[in-house]
Amino acid sequence: MNIVCRKDLVQRIKSKNPTVKCYDINAVVNTLFDEMADALQNHEKVIIRNFGTFCVTEVNERTYRTPDGQIVHSPKTYRVKFVTGVNLANSVKHE
């Protein structure tokens, strides 16, 4: 499995847009991710058409028992959920 990090994304965008400086591309990518993170921290849904949707879901408080019998309390928390868009899901299926 290959891993694509932020630096790789900037380089790929640069190869498709050679007239734009890496510094400017990096600024746009950083701003995009920062804005998405800010929206999710405010429990806002982030929808990117033809790609997917990011949203924050609440995980309720619960109590469970470990295999050795100890009772453990898990507090209420929040998780980020990603749902793929139809176009992305179809393109991944057909590769």
Side-chain angles (χ1 to χ4, degrees):
M1 176 190 315
N2 293 330
I3 297 174
V4 178
C5 62
R6 186 184 303 222
K7 181 180 176 183
D8 299 327
L9 290 173
V10 170
Q11 289 173 349
R12 288 179 182 191
I13 294 168
K14 173 67 175 166
S15 69
K16 292 181 181 182
N17 301 281
T19 59
V20 182
K21 295 178 183 176
C22 275
Y23 177 81
D24 294 332
I25 295 170
N26 197 34
V28 170
V29 170
N30 287 339
T31 302
L32 174 68
F33 288 144
D34 289 345
E35 289 299 319
M36 288 174 62
D38 289 346
L40 291 169
Q41 287 171 355
N42 293 326
H43 296 246
E44 297 173 321
K45 189 182 280 192
V46 177
I47 301 171
I48 302 172
R49 300 259 182 233
N50 300 322
F51 183 75
T53 302
F54 295 89
C55 61
V56 176
T57 59
E58 183 177 310
V59 178
N60 291 328
E61 177 180 335
R62 63 176 260 203
T63 302
Y64 58 95
R65 190 180 304 267
T66 63
D68 61 353
Q70 293 179 346
I71 295 176
V72 179
H73 299 283
S74 174
K76 178 175 84 170
T77 186
Y78 298 93
R79 292 197 178 127
V80 175
K81 180 180 174 184
F82 177 72
V83 179
T84 58
V86 175
N87 291 353
L88 177 61
N90 288 338
S91 68
V92 170
K93 282 183 191 176
H94 296 295
E95 290 214 7

